[in-house]
Amino acid sequence: MTTERKPLNIGMVGYSFMGRAHSNAFRQVGQFFDVPYRPVLKAAGARNAAAVRAFADQWGYESVETDWRRLVARADIDVIDIASPNDTHHDIAIAAAEAGKMVLCEKPLGRTAAESGAMVAAVERAGVRNMVWYNYRRVPAVTLAKQMVDAGKFGRVFHYRAKFLQDWTMSTDLPQGGTGLWRLDASVAGSGVTGDLLAHCIDTAMWLNGPIAEVTAVTETFIKERKHQLTGATQPVTIDDASLFLARFANGSLATFEATRYARGHKALYTLELNGQHGSVFWDLHDLHRLHYFDHRDEGTTRGWRSVHITDGDHPYMKHWWVPGLQIGYEHSFIHQVADFLGSLDGDASAAPTFREARATDLVTDAVLASARSRQWEPATEA
Amino acid sequence: MTTERKPLNIGMVGYSFMGRAHSNAFRQVGQFFDVPYRPVLKAAGARNAAAVRAFADQWGYESVETDWRRLVARADIDVIDIASPNDTHHDIAIAAAEAGKMVLCEKPLGRTAAESGAMVAAVERAGVRNMVWYNYRRVPAVTLAKQMVDAGKFGRVFHYRAKFLQDWTMSTDLPQGGTGLWRLDASVAGSGVTGDLLAHCIDTAMWLNGPIAEVTAVTETFIKERKHQLTGATQPVTIDDASLFLARFANGSLATFEATRYARGHKALYTLELNGQHGSVFWDLHDLHRLHYFDHRDEGTTRGWRSVHITDGDHPYMKHWWVPGLQIGYEHSFIHQVADFLGSLDGDASAAPTFREARATDLVTDAVLASARSRQWEPATEA
Amino acid sequence: MTTERKPLNIGMVGYSFMGRAHSNAFRQVGQFFDVPYRPVLKAAGARNAAAVRAFADQWGYESVETDWRRLVARADIDVIDIASPNDTHHDIAIAAAEAGKMVLCEKPLGRTAAESGAMVAAVERAGVRNMVWYNYRRVPAVTLAKQMVDAGKFGRVFHYRAKFLQDWTMSTDLPQGGTGLWRLDASVAGSGVTGDLLAHCIDTAMWLNGPIAEVTAVTETFIKERKHQLTGATQPVTIDDASLFLARFANGSLATFEATRYARGHKALYTLELNGQHGSVFWDLHDLHRLHYFDHRDEGTTRGWRSVHITDGDHPYMKHWWVPGLQIGYEHSFIHQVADFLGSLDGDASAAPTFREARATDLVTDAVLASARSRQWEPATEA
Amino acid sequence: MTTERKPLNIGMVGYSFMGRAHSNAFRQVGQFFDVPYRPVLKAAGARNAAAVRAFADQWGYESVETDWRRLVARADIDVIDIASPNDTHHDIAIAAAEAGKMVLCEKPLGRTAAESGAMVAAVERAGVRNMVWYNYRRVPAVTLAKQMVDAGKFGRVFHYRAKFLQDWTMSTDLPQGGTGLWRLDASVAGSGVTGDLLAHCIDTAMWLNGPIAEVTAVTETFIKERKHQLTGATQPVTIDDASLFLARFANGSLATFEATRYARGHKALYTLELNGQHGSVFWDLHDLHRLHYFDHRDEGTTRGWRSVHITDGDHPYMKHWWVPGLQIGYEHSFIHQVADFLGSLDGDASAAPTFREARATDLVTDAVLASARSRQWEPATEA
């Protein structure tokens, strides 16, 4: 263990699902990873004073702010971590960058690629460290898949497919708007499942298989009206409940992508599969500690899909945890991302994905939404 | 057992994979099902005299013909069963219908919906029994899924997804053309995986979930040239190696469909899934004796995907086989189809799918290929 | 195909579950395997004249006999196949051997090792071909496991475990005795699950892993009384409902074995697993077309249990069936056994297991039942 | 959240695998559970000064002690948590009880039931809170299984089976003795897999299915000699590498139990299954977030094993974590146990299992080892 860890003061914006996941990562990283920095939970910021106070008590933040601008302005903050709803990302990130802070931002980076373009410009102009929480890259099984791709285990890739299936919004009684339900409000979220779920699928896909060239898409809003949580007024639903697209990657491979909140029986079934010349790999979030691998170069009669239990010491990140056979969970992906971020700070290379990398996903989701409107194939990269 | 079974004389065209599967079904049905007719393997027809003779000996056909026109003309034939390559379906079926024979045809019915339109007209004009071998409807697990749909177990349907993944053409050394490889020749087969594999997916999908309204598709030929099996000459590959499409069903549900022969590790992985309001169902051909079912109305804490082992006496077709727990295989789907066909002959209703029903699939595959060319959404039904 | 197949006349005793399975194997083998003999279904024998007549009609037997002694005496019979209840095996087999017939016998060979000792002596004295229907050896996945053992893929073996779980007798309303229920009558069956289910587990185990040296066992009859099917009288249940034992093999490996008809949710869940120095193998009857294999010599990070889909042309027996990816079922194990039997007839080596090999299983089941009574370890081989 | 949490000062003995797991639990519980006490990591104790210092720094312990007697004597310690090797449990626990401390002890409680008998007497005499870390009871899937048993979902139980399979000691090159390898030394550990792995299986089994009445067992040491880690001297191996037993529970059900470190391909495969009149339940540690459940009262045709993804808010403990579909891991079982322990402190009922409950497992492991020596059935409870 590094005996002298340098403190790194965190200012957290938001206190909900992602605020908890990030805070937990900052609290735990030091017990498991030999990192050169020690995250200090300096301040938590949110408009709701009571809520942010309770959150700070629960997680051990030293102070609270009810205006993110004051948080950004504080001299004792090194890192601004944005875990608040999507419509706040743009302004906070740019202000934080301009204040010289490192900026961490929950995904998607912007509600649109136009928003995230400005954010990329800001952090690069300021020269500050920046990273987006596409946490699934740090699920050890997914990290291993990436290492296998990089090692050439698959050869030429022919196919990719990903889906993210949920069923939590299927009831017509579910309201929209208000705290905890902003994901159903397009003005806040930017889109529905496209930005919320497909963004994860796209980020991992491009990490593993390179840029997506073009897409054709369809979206649907199955339940057209809902009551507002606070006012009770019936309103049109503005988000996409389901979003499906076909893609052609720059490397010539073809793909299907799908996300929905109307797939009964699936809670968070993010699956991905890549088929290459020499083998294939499959992963799903419902059993995130396993990677499924087919190696065509195995002996013919005993060749089969291998279910690799990703709990060994030589699997990515796993030597830091328990003993072989004992699985970790969802939250650990965030801890790994923090470990990589802290580990990168004394070096030149940024921990990935940076804002610039993450914006590529926003270009694809923009193209998906555009294609759903135009009923045409749309390019997924900037000209 | 019906003691007095009426003979039904079969004239088989073709002797390859499907010729074997159909012949086996005719030979076995009487030992397991109490059917009113006894198929008699009267004659096998094919151009290659030695091959058709060997086939007839192996399977017990009483005679052979080397010209299908003579077979169709024989007075002692009740049923013409077409198991020869796709480019022969149209002419043989129409001639058989005009000769007053019942006509069974391997799928896809035609190479195009134009071809199959003429075939439908012929059998309907002649008033002869007709059926297409979309055998997967008679896999007991799939039949049960249909019964569950019809019983209202799923409510409003939101999503359907199907894929058929293979990897047998991935080698650049594989030749094309000639016996056994006509599936790689678009002039014979009509298309590649679209007609060969997607057709199965589409038939089952529309059986379970109703008509497909429109599609957007992409196809690809990954290996552009191959040597001809017989001549050794390098030729362009004319078929689609992969075919993917998004669909909107008439009932408003959305779907992804995909077929490929470039998915390493999958030999015949036909999977289907339907997500409805009250539950979901999943099936795959690699474990065809299981049906996976999620019932949202189960008690919350113990709700989960059920893996139903379709081997009980009250599962479709299964009381005719062995005892609970003992699985059947691929070939049984054909035996079931023959049992249903024979069982229907003394009644009014035809065994499904008739030529007319099967042609609906050709309309969809035509739309898929059209969309792949036009890069537009295409309607999948006739105006 | 062998053009000139020699006829081999079969005399079948019994017409129930196993009578059907064997008859089906004889009928089908010639269409799929290039065997030098053609089984001719010459005669079926059973006491119930109407039942055996119906069976003969269904399966195409040329004639019937209502006394097995007459069947055994017929000059036109080459093979006596015993598919009748266990209490008939001894007398029929010995008479058939003495009449110079080849003898095939359903398992278990005898109700006791004493019975089967006399049967072995009879066939060996008569010098007639003999074989016992331990059909699970010919499930291709199990055959492959044996080939892997023989090829040294596992090295020193440490553990073996097998179980056979059913749930069909759990209802107190189920009667016993009479047709179809003789398996619940110890005087007919010899024992309950020990001879019916464990016998299968033991045969495969010793085939894969060599002799069993000693056992300690427990048995239980959970429901103590049942009504007789015909008389309605309440009678004590004489069979074992469950039978469990620990074993030490001659090679030093340890094992657990279990069979029961009181395992809710399992219909015919025969599972086996072998753990050796270099790898392990697992198989279960509910997905009989898969073999699970772990190879410790695979690269560390991508090592995992392989699910091998046993449908390729280079898997045992599979080139005779359909195409890769398409599974076969339970009944095919019998067809394979017939193919091996017919294929062996012109050579010196008998198709396995012979009566002598099968008797080794009766020695183990005797030891299991003895240990359940003595509450001691009992040797499982003859002194 | 409880705003005023009372501090509870922890004195930890040991710093290895279990020291980490317990410490992590104390650190995390407050962020996720609304408990009335706040664990304070007051002191860590171990003989190795450098090691315990590094451990204390890593985990945030305020102080260290190199003699557990000084730790036990400290007035500022409320709870002694024993996470040191098995041969230390007895003395530390008794001293801690006599000092009036609450005592938490890693399993197994004693090396023998004689040791644990004295420990039970000590804590009961002192009237101090006591608990043993049989953590698997608090895996939510296992907790749910217990709730299902208690709710009568299974009816009369017929069968139980459990196994715990590992492969980490299969290399002959692995040394024994010394730090980190005390589990291979019977004088320290008490036994091999019997106390290490079977103890877990037995604890859960009796929790779910009541007392075990009697057992018959076999144990084996496959590799007879190893080099000592520190001295390099070749020594006999004194532990059992494998331990298998049959059991009869007090309720009449039968069981197989097995533990080994020689099952290639399994790292920590703890599996359990219970078969009752109305249904069955299965769980395994390699996918600890799933419970498999068969309900015989489901409709016949769609009845199947349900794979329940234990991540919903109404599953035990899960509302405290993330959102449905997102799994937790191994370490969370310890956090749940601490939450229950802290939650119980202001009430009368102790958090389970107490020393007295945990001793029942030592009686069974004693019986297993005795039976392996005597080759007889042995009673598993005190007369």
Side-chain angles (χ1 to χ4, degrees):
Chain A
M1 177 183 153
T2 302
T3 46
E4 294 298 329
R5 284 172 172 171
K6 295 165 270 190
L8 188 78
N9 292 345
I10 310 294
M12 171 70 60
V13 188
Y15 56 83
S16 190
F17 178 19
M18 282 303 116
R20 296 173 74 228
H22 298 189
S23 298
N24 181 62
F26 288 126
R27 277 186 64 97
Q28 287 204 50
V29 66
Q31 282 76 254
F32 295 96
F33 289 82
D34 188 15
V35 283
Y37 287 84
R38 176 170 53 85
V40 178
L41 301 185
K42 209 69 189 177
R47 278 173 302 185
N48 183 322
V52 73
R53 167 51 59 202
F55 174 77
D57 286 349
Q58 187 92 358
W59 290 94
Y61 282 90
E62 297 176 9
S63 61
V64 301
E65 298 288 351
T66 55
D67 182 340
W68 63 261
R69 291 166 209 282
R70 278 205 298 278
L71 185 67
V72 164
R74 278 173 55 162
D76 62 348
I77 297 292
D78 300 313
V79 176
I80 293 291
D81 183 10
I82 307 170
S84 45
N86 300 350
D87 61 341
T88 68
H89 293 188
H90 173 270
D91 290 1
I92 301 174
I94 291 173
E98 288 175 351
K101 310 298 191 197
M102 304 182 201
V103 196
L104 309 184
C105 187
E106 185 47 42
K107 50 65 53 184
L109 183 55
R111 283 174 298 183
T112 61
E115 278 198 344
S116 50
M119 298 162 79
V120 171
V123 295
E124 294 188 350
R125 194 164 49 232
V128 295
R129 298 268 174 178
N130 55 94
M131 186 178 71
V132 180
W133 293 90
Y134 279 111
N135 63 298
Y136 293 121
R137 294 191 185 192
R138 265 79 175 199
V139 171
V142 178
T143 311
L144 179 59
K146 170 65 169 167
Q147 293 173 354
M148 292 164 72
V149 168
D150 291 349
K153 281 194 182 294
F154 303 106
R156 180 180 171 190
V157 176
F158 297 107
H159 289 285
Y160 194 91
R161 58 191 73 83
K163 55 183 189 289
F164 206 134
L165 308 183
Q166 299 187 332
D167 66 0
W168 68 279
T169 63
M170 289 180 69
S171 167
T172 54
D173 295 338
L174 186 77
Q176 66 180 4
T179 308
L181 290 172
W182 59 264
R183 282 182 176 79
L184 304 191
D185 184 342
S187 68
V188 179
S191 64
V193 297
T194 305
D196 187 27
L197 306 180
L198 274 182
H200 277 302
C201 299
I202 294 164
D203 175 72
T204 322
M206 295 198 297
W207 192 48
L208 295 176
N209 197 36
I212 291 174
E214 57 173 358
V215 302
T216 183
V218 62
T219 61
E220 184 57 275
T221 304
F222 290 115
I223 294 180
K224 309 290 189 192
E225 293 187 326
R226 292 185 184 276
K227 290 198 170 152
H228 193 276
Q229 180 176 218
L230 307 175
T231 68
T234 297
Q235 300 179 323
V237 174
T238 53
I239 58 154
D240 42 296
D241 290 334
S243 182
L244 298 74
F245 72 95
L246 305 178
R248 189 186 297 272
F249 282 78
N251 67 8
S253 58
L254 299 180
T256 61
F257 286 85
E258 178 182 6
T260 182
R261 294 182 185 136
Y262 283 72
R264 195 53 97 189
H266 301 301
K267 300 166 190 167
L269 189 72
Y270 172 16
T271 73
L272 66 85
E273 178 169 350
L274 177 151
N275 302 132
Q277 185 178 356
H278 305 308
S280 292
V281 70
F282 173 88
W283 173 81
D284 82 280
L285 179 55
H286 275 197
D287 296 291
L288 65 80
H289 60 298
R290 290 186 178 273
L291 188 69
H292 300 269
Y293 172 45
F294 182 89
D295 186 346
H296 189 66
R297 290 169 295 196
D298 283 343
E299 183 187 24
T301 51
T302 58
R303 201 156 53 196
W305 279 83
R306 303 178 189 181
S307 181
V308 189
H309 202 251
I310 306 293
T311 61
D312 267 347
D314 55 1
H315 288 138
Y317 303 105
M318 291 308 297
K319 74 176 177 193
H320 300 280
W321 296 102
W322 310 104
V323 300
L326 301 180
Q327 73 193 60
I328 58 170
Y330 165 75
E331 70 222 53
H332 300 73
S333 60
F334 293 92
I335 303 172
H336 300 160
Q337 187 156 1
V338 170
D340 286 348
F341 175 70
L342 298 179
S344 76
L345 291 180
D346 290 341
D348 292 332
S350 282
T354 62
F355 278 24
R356 176 169 287 275
E357 288 172 275
R359 182 173 179 259
T361 290
D362 293 354
L363 288 167
V364 180
T365 51
D366 274 11
V368 165
L369 296 169
S371 171
R373 288 187 300 266
S374 72
R375 294 171 56 88
Q376 306 283 344
W377 284 82
E378 297 286 348
T381 50
E382 279 174 313
Chain B
M1 178 182 153
T2 302
T3 46
E4 294 298 326
R5 285 173 171 170
K6 294 164 271 187
L8 188 77
N9 291 345
I10 309 295
M12 171 71 62
V13 188
Y15 56 81
S16 189
F17 179 18
M18 282 302 116
R20 294 173 74 227
H22 298 190
S23 299
N24 181 63
F26 289 126
R27 277 186 65 98
Q28 288 204 50
V29 67
Q31 283 75 254
F32 295 97
F33 288 82
D34 189 13
V35 283
Y37 287 84
R38 176 169 54 84
V40 178
L41 301 184
K42 208 68 186 178
R47 276 174 300 185
N48 184 323
V52 73
R53 166 53 58 199
F55 174 75
D57 286 349
Q58 187 91 0
W59 290 93
Y61 282 89
E62 297 176 8
S63 61
V64 301
E65 297 288 351
T66 55
D67 182 343
W68 63 260
R69 290 167 210 281
R70 276 203 301 274
L71 184 67
V72 165
R74 276 173 57 162
D76 61 348
I77 298 292
D78 300 312
V79 176
I80 292 291
D81 183 9
I82 307 170
S84 45
N86 300 351
D87 60 341
T88 68
H89 292 188
H90 174 271
D91 291 1
I92 301 175
I94 291 174
E98 290 175 350
K101 311 298 190 195
M102 304 181 200
V103 196
L104 309 183
C105 188
E106 186 46 43
K107 50 61 59 183
L109 183 56
R111 283 173 298 183
T112 62
E115 278 197 345
S116 49
M119 296 161 78
V120 171
V123 294
E124 295 189 350
R125 195 163 49 230
V128 294
R129 300 270 173 177
N130 56 92
M131 186 178 73
V132 179
W133 293 91
Y134 278 111
N135 63 298
Y136 293 122
R137 294 190 184 194
R138 263 79 175 202
V139 171
V142 177
T143 310
L144 179 60
K146 169 64 169 167
Q147 294 173 353
M148 293 164 71
V149 168
D150 290 348
K153 281 194 182 294
F154 303 105
R156 179 180 171 192
V157 176
F158 297 107
H159 289 286
Y160 193 92
R161 58 190 73 83
K163 56 182 188 293
F164 206 133
L165 308 183
Q166 300 186 333
D167 66 0
W168 67 279
T169 63
M170 291 180 68
S171 168
T172 53
D173 295 338
L174 186 76
Q176 65 181 6
T179 307
L181 290 171
W182 60 264
R183 281 182 176 78
L184 305 190
D185 183 343
S187 69
V188 178
S191 65
V193 297
T194 305
D196 187 29
L197 306 181
L198 276 182
H200 276 301
C201 300
I202 293 164
D203 175 72
T204 322
M206 295 199 294
W207 191 49
L208 295 176
N209 196 35
I212 291 174
E214 57 172 0
V215 302
T216 183
V218 62
T219 60
E220 183 57 274
T221 304
F222 290 116
I223 293 181
K224 308 290 188 192
E225 294 187 327
R226 292 186 185 275
K227 289 199 170 149
H228 192 277
Q229 180 176 217
L230 306 175
T231 68
T234 298
Q235 301 179 323
V237 174
T238 52
I239 58 155
D240 42 295
D241 290 333
S243 182
L244 299 72
F245 70 96
L246 304 179
R248 189 185 298 273
F249 283 79
N251 67 8
S253 58
L254 298 180
T256 60
F257 285 84
E258 177 182 8
T260 183
R261 294 184 185 134
Y262 283 73
R264 194 55 96 189
H266 301 302
K267 298 167 193 166
L269 189 72
Y270 172 15
T271 74
L272 64 87
E273 179 168 349
L274 177 151
N275 303 134
Q277 187 179 354
H278 305 307
S280 292
V281 69
F282 173 87
W283 172 81
D284 82 277
L285 178 56
H286 276 196
D287 296 290
L288 65 83
H289 60 297
R290 290 185 178 274
L291 189 69
H292 300 270
Y293 172 45
F294 182 88
D295 186 346
H296 188 65
R297 291 168 294 197
D298 282 343
E299 183 187 24
T301 51
T302 58
R303 201 157 50 195
W305 279 82
R306 304 179 188 179
S307 180
V308 188
H309 203 253
I310 306 293
T311 61
D312 267 348
D314 55 1
H315 288 137
Y317 302 106
M318 291 307 297
K319 74 177 177 192
H320 299 283
W321 297 103
W322 311 104
V323 300
L326 301 181
Q327 74 194 58
I328 58 169
Y330 166 74
E331 70 222 53
H332 300 71
S333 60
F334 293 92
I335 303 173
H336 301 160
Q337 187 156 359
V338 170
D340 286 348
F341 175 70
L342 298 179
S344 75
L345 290 181
D346 290 341
D348 291 333
S350 281
T354 61
F355 277 25
R356 177 168 286 274
E357 289 172 275
R359 184 174 178 257
T361 290
D362 293 353
L363 288 166
V364 179
T365 52
D366 273 12
V368 166
L369 296 169
S371 172
R373 287 187 301 265
S374 71
R375 294 171 57 88
Q376 306 283 343
W377 283 82
E378 298 286 348
T381 50
E382 277 175 313
Chain C
M1 178 181 152
T2 301
T3 46
E4 295 298 327
R5 285 173 172 170
K6 294 164 272 188
L8 188 77
N9 291 344
I10 309 295
M12 172 72 59
V13 188
Y15 55 83
S16 189
F17 179 17
M18 282 303 116
R20 294 174 73 228
H22 297 190
S23 298
N24 181 64
F26 288 125
R27 276 186 67 98
Q28 288 204 50
V29 66
Q31 282 75 253
F32 295 96
F33 288 83
D34 189 14
V35 283
Y37 287 84
R38 176 170 52 85
V40 178
L41 301 184
K42 207 70 186 176
R47 276 174 301 184
N48 184 321
V52 72
R53 167 52 58 201
F55 174 76
D57 286 349
Q58 188 91 1
W59 290 93
Y61 281 90
E62 298 177 7
S63 61
V64 301
E65 298 288 350
T66 54
D67 181 342
W68 62 260
R69 289 167 210 281
R70 277 203 299 276
L71 185 67
V72 165
R74 276 172 59 161
D76 62 347
I77 297 292
D78 299 314
V79 176
I80 292 292
D81 183 9
I82 307 170
S84 44
N86 300 351
D87 60 341
T88 68
H89 292 187
H90 174 269
D91 291 1
I92 301 175
I94 291 174
E98 289 175 351
K101 311 298 191 195
M102 304 181 198
V103 195
L104 309 183
C105 187
E106 185 48 42
K107 50 64 57 183
L109 183 54
R111 285 174 297 183
T112 62
E115 278 197 344
S116 50
M119 297 162 79
V120 171
V123 295
E124 295 189 350
R125 196 164 47 230
V128 296
R129 299 269 173 177
N130 57 92
M131 187 178 73
V132 179
W133 292 92
Y134 278 111
N135 64 298
Y136 293 121
R137 294 189 183 193
R138 264 80 176 200
V139 171
V142 177
T143 310
L144 179 59
K146 169 65 169 168
Q147 293 173 354
M148 293 164 72
V149 167
D150 290 348
K153 280 193 182 297
F154 303 105
R156 180 179 170 192
V157 176
F158 297 107
H159 288 287
Y160 194 92
R161 59 190 73 83
K163 56 182 188 292
F164 206 133
L165 307 183
Q166 300 187 332
D167 67 359
W168 67 280
T169 63
M170 291 181 68
S171 167
T172 53
D173 297 337
L174 186 75
Q176 66 181 5
T179 307
L181 290 171
W182 60 265
R183 282 182 175 79
L184 305 191
D185 183 342
S187 68
V188 178
S191 66
V193 297
T194 305
D196 187 28
L197 306 180
L198 276 182
H200 277 301
C201 300
I202 294 164
D203 175 71
T204 322
M206 296 198 295
W207 190 49
L208 295 176
N209 197 35
I212 291 174
E214 56 171 2
V215 301
T216 183
V218 61
T219 61
E220 184 57 275
T221 304
F222 290 116
I223 294 181
K224 308 292 188 192
E225 293 187 327
R226 291 185 185 275
K227 289 199 171 149
H228 192 276
Q229 181 176 217
L230 307 175
T231 69
T234 298
Q235 301 178 322
V237 174
T238 52
I239 57 155
D240 42 295
D241 289 335
S243 182
L244 298 73
F245 71 97
L246 305 179
R248 189 186 298 272
F249 282 79
N251 67 8
S253 58
L254 299 180
T256 61
F257 285 84
E258 177 182 7
T260 183
R261 294 186 185 131
Y262 283 73
R264 194 55 96 191
H266 301 302
K267 298 167 193 166
L269 189 71
Y270 171 16
T271 74
L272 65 86
E273 179 168 352
L274 176 150
N275 303 134
Q277 187 180 353
H278 305 307
S280 293
V281 69
F282 173 87
W283 173 81
D284 82 278
L285 179 56
H286 275 195
D287 296 292
L288 64 82
H289 59 298
R290 290 186 178 273
L291 189 69
H292 301 269
Y293 172 45
F294 182 88
D295 186 347
H296 189 65
R297 291 169 294 196
D298 282 343
E299 184 187 23
T301 51
T302 58
R303 202 156 51 196
W305 279 83
R306 303 179 188 179
S307 180
V308 188
H309 202 252
I310 306 292
T311 60
D312 267 348
D314 55 0
H315 288 137
Y317 302 106
M318 291 307 297
K319 74 176 177 192
H320 300 282
W321 297 104
W322 311 105
V323 301
L326 301 181
Q327 73 194 60
I328 58 169
Y330 165 74
E331 70 223 51
H332 300 71
S333 60
F334 292 93
I335 304 173
H336 300 159
Q337 187 155 0
V338 169
D340 286 348
F341 176 71
L342 298 179
S344 76
L345 290 181
D346 289 341
D348 291 332
S350 282
T354 61
F355 277 25
R356 176 167 288 275
E357 289 172 274
R359 183 172 178 259
T361 290
D362 293 354
L363 288 166
V364 179
T365 52
D366 273 11
V368 165
L369 296 169
S371 172
R373 288 188 299 267
S374 71
R375 292 170 58 88
Q376 307 282 344
W377 283 82
E378 298 286 349
T381 50
E382 278 174 314
Chain D
M1 178 184 154
T2 302
T3 46
E4 294 298 328
R5 285 172 172 171
K6 296 165 271 190
L8 188 76
N9 292 345
I10 309 295
M12 171 71 59
V13 189
Y15 54 83
S16 190
F17 178 18
M18 283 302 115
R20 296 172 74 226
H22 298 189
S23 299
N24 181 63
F26 289 125
R27 277 186 65 98
Q28 287 204 51
V29 66
Q31 282 77 253
F32 295 97
F33 288 83
D34 189 13
V35 283
Y37 288 84
R38 176 170 53 85
V40 179
L41 301 184
K42 210 66 187 180
R47 278 173 301 186
N48 183 323
V52 73
R53 166 52 58 202
F55 174 76
D57 286 350
Q58 187 91 359
W59 290 94
Y61 282 89
E62 298 177 7
S63 61
V64 302
E65 297 289 351
T66 55
D67 181 341
W68 63 260
R69 289 167 211 280
R70 279 204 299 276
L71 185 68
V72 165
R74 277 173 57 162
D76 63 347
I77 297 293
D78 300 313
V79 176
I80 292 293
D81 183 10
I82 308 169
S84 45
N86 299 351
D87 60 341
T88 68
H89 292 188
H90 173 270
D91 291 1
I92 301 174
I94 291 174
E98 287 175 352
K101 310 298 190 196
M102 304 181 200
V103 196
L104 309 183
C105 187
E106 184 48 41
K107 50 64 54 184
L109 183 54
R111 284 174 298 183
T112 61
E115 278 198 345
S116 50
M119 297 163 78
V120 171
V123 295
E124 295 189 350
R125 195 164 48 231
V128 295
R129 299 268 174 178
N130 55 92
M131 186 177 72
V132 179
W133 293 91
Y134 278 111
N135 63 298
Y136 293 121
R137 294 191 185 192
R138 265 78 175 202
V139 171
V142 178
T143 310
L144 179 59
K146 169 66 169 166
Q147 294 173 352
M148 292 163 73
V149 167
D150 290 349
K153 281 193 182 293
F154 303 106
R156 178 179 171 191
V157 176
F158 296 107
H159 289 286
Y160 193 91
R161 58 190 73 84
K163 56 183 189 290
F164 206 133
L165 308 183
Q166 299 187 332
D167 68 357
W168 66 280
T169 64
M170 289 181 69
S171 167
T172 54
D173 295 338
L174 186 77
Q176 65 181 3
T179 308
L181 290 172
W182 60 265
R183 282 182 177 79
L184 304 191
D185 183 343
S187 68
V188 179
S191 64
V193 297
T194 305
D196 187 28
L197 305 181
L198 276 182
H200 276 302
C201 300
I202 294 164
D203 176 71
T204 322
M206 295 198 297
W207 191 49
L208 295 176
N209 196 35
I212 291 174
E214 57 172 359
V215 302
T216 184
V218 62
T219 61
E220 184 56 275
T221 305
F222 289 116
I223 294 180
K224 309 291 187 192
E225 294 187 327
R226 293 185 184 277
K227 291 199 171 150
H228 192 276
Q229 180 176 217
L230 307 176
T231 67
T234 297
Q235 299 179 325
V237 174
T238 52
I239 58 155
D240 42 294
D241 289 334
S243 183
L244 298 73
F245 71 96
L246 304 178
R248 189 185 299 273
F249 282 78
N251 67 7
S253 59
L254 299 180
T256 60
F257 285 85
E258 178 183 7
T260 183
R261 293 182 186 136
Y262 283 73
R264 194 54 97 190
H266 301 301
K267 299 167 189 166
L269 189 72
Y270 172 17
T271 74
L272 65 86
E273 179 167 349
L274 176 151
N275 303 133
Q277 185 180 355
H278 305 307
S280 293
V281 70
F282 173 87
W283 172 82
D284 82 279
L285 179 56
H286 276 196
D287 296 291
L288 64 80
H289 60 298
R290 291 186 179 272
L291 189 69
H292 301 269
Y293 172 45
F294 182 89
D295 186 346
H296 189 66
R297 291 169 295 197
D298 282 343
E299 182 187 26
T301 51
T302 59
R303 201 155 52 195
W305 279 83
R306 303 179 188 180
S307 180
V308 189
H309 203 251
I310 306 293
T311 60
D312 267 348
D314 54 1
H315 287 137
Y317 303 105
M318 291 308 297
K319 74 176 176 193
H320 299 281
W321 297 103
W322 310 103
V323 301
L326 301 181
Q327 72 193 61
I328 58 169
Y330 165 75
E331 70 223 52
H332 299 74
S333 60
F334 293 92
I335 303 173
H336 300 160
Q337 187 156 0
V338 169
D340 286 347
F341 175 71
L342 299 178
S344 76
L345 290 181
D346 289 341
D348 291 332
S350 283
T354 61
F355 278 24
R356 175 168 288 275
E357 289 172 274
R359 184 173 177 258
T361 290
D362 293 354
L363 288 167
V364 180
T365 51
D366 274 11
V368 165
L369 296 170
S371 172
R373 287 187 300 266
S374 71
R375 293 171 56 88
Q376 306 283 345
W377 283 83
E378 299 285 348
T381 51
E382 279 175 313

